[in-house]
Amino acid sequence: MPEAALRELETALESALESAVRDSVPVLPALRPVLPGGGLRPGSIVGLDGPGAASLGLALVAGVSRHGGADGTGGWCAVVGVPGFGVVAAAGMGAALERLLLVDDPGDRWPDVVAALAEAVDLILLCPPERPGAAAVRRLSALARKHGCVLTLTGAFANDWPGARLRLRLDDVAWEGLADGHGRLTARRAEIVAGGRDAPGPGRRARLWLPAADGTVTPDETVRPPLELVPPPVEHRAIA
């Protein structure tokens, strides 16, 4: 391929990537490597799985409230049905608490609460109090698509919501700070794994601190590439 054509192709790919980032709902920088386009698809359904689901919810709220919005200076988030939501931990990750709405107990009319919020916020972190019915799933999924709100699901019934395009979980979790049965938990290393239609392939992965010792979410820079076996040099001997 001629060099000029290669430059044009490279420029087109860079423009497409920049457009995808602009059109996505932003997340914290440490989470961007596992998400196509570096963010969440507007109007999509995201499921959080595994023992690290609570921390993932905190991190997503932090990213959107800090970097979301039409001008990128911060978006609105709502947390519904999560009375134990760690507000202090979310603030440590960078969340803008002035753009955070908390509905600890939405009651039996939780679908109506979510429907009203979907028109006004960029992301909803929802813990359904019961297995969602088909009518509620259709209604809330349609409203999320219409208004571009990311509906993020956690809790016991998160996997019972069909249509989730992305699922996030933590693997290989290891806490730091304890030694010989004493000490204090200070930081947690983990691998974030993304799967689903918005993360094609066997799953995108990234190692990170969630949280680091200062409460933030940062890449785990201690990860080293696998060892590479290098054959010994060949000795050149003169032929008699």
Side-chain angles (χ1 to χ4, degrees), residues 3-73:
E3 185 176 349
L6 284 174
R7 285 198 300 270
E8 291 180 3
L9 178 60
E10 181 179 349
T11 301
L13 290 174
E14 290 177 353
S15 299
L17 179 59
E18 290 175 0
S19 176
V21 172
R22 285 196 305 270
D23 295 339
S24 64
V25 177
V27 296
L28 293 174
L31 304 183
R32 293 172 188 171
V34 301
L35 300 175
L40 303 171
R41 183 190 296 269
S44 63
I45 309 298
V46 178
L48 305 180
D49 298 329
S55 294
L56 286 172
L58 294 172
L60 292 180
V61 167
V64 174
S65 66
R66 180 62 61 184
H67 304 291
D71 55 1
T73 59

Side-chain angles (χ1 to χ4, degrees), residues 42-45 118 139-151:
S44 63
I45 309 298
R139 175 192 178 196
L140 298 180
S141 298
L143 285 173
R145 288 193 300 271
K146 177 181 178 181
H147 298 289
C149 173
V150 176
L151 185 55

Side-chain angles (χ1 to χ4, degrees), residues 96-216:
L97 301 184
E98 67 273 16
R99 290 188 288 272
L100 179 60
L101 304 174
L102 301 177
V103 185
D104 290 346
D105 185 6
D108 295 337
R109 299 191 61 186
W110 65 268
D112 295 330
V113 173
V114 175
L117 290 169
E119 301 181 22
V121 302
D122 299 305
L123 180 140
I124 298 174
L125 176 62
L126 168 65
C127 179
E130 60 189 357
R131 182 171 285 104
V137 168
R138 287 194 300 269
R139 175 192 178 196
L140 298 180
S141 298
L143 285 173
R145 288 193 300 271
K146 177 181 178 181
H147 298 289
C149 173
V150 176
L151 185 55
T152 306
L153 304 168
T154 187
F157 301 106
N159 290 326
D160 294 326
W161 195 294
R165 298 185 58 94
L166 178 70
R167 294 198 178 277
L168 301 175
R169 72 176 191 275
L170 293 184
D171 280 350
D172 195 17
V173 176
W175 282 95
E176 301 273 324
L178 291 181
D180 296 329
H182 62 87
R184 182 171 62 90
L185 296 175
T186 57
R188 176 174 58 182
R189 277 195 180 105
E191 183 176 53
I192 183 172
V193 182
R197 285 179 290 173
D198 279 358
R204 294 170 177 249
R205 299 170 178 265
R207 295 287 305 177
L208 43 76
W209 290 98
L210 181 63
D214 61 356
T216 61

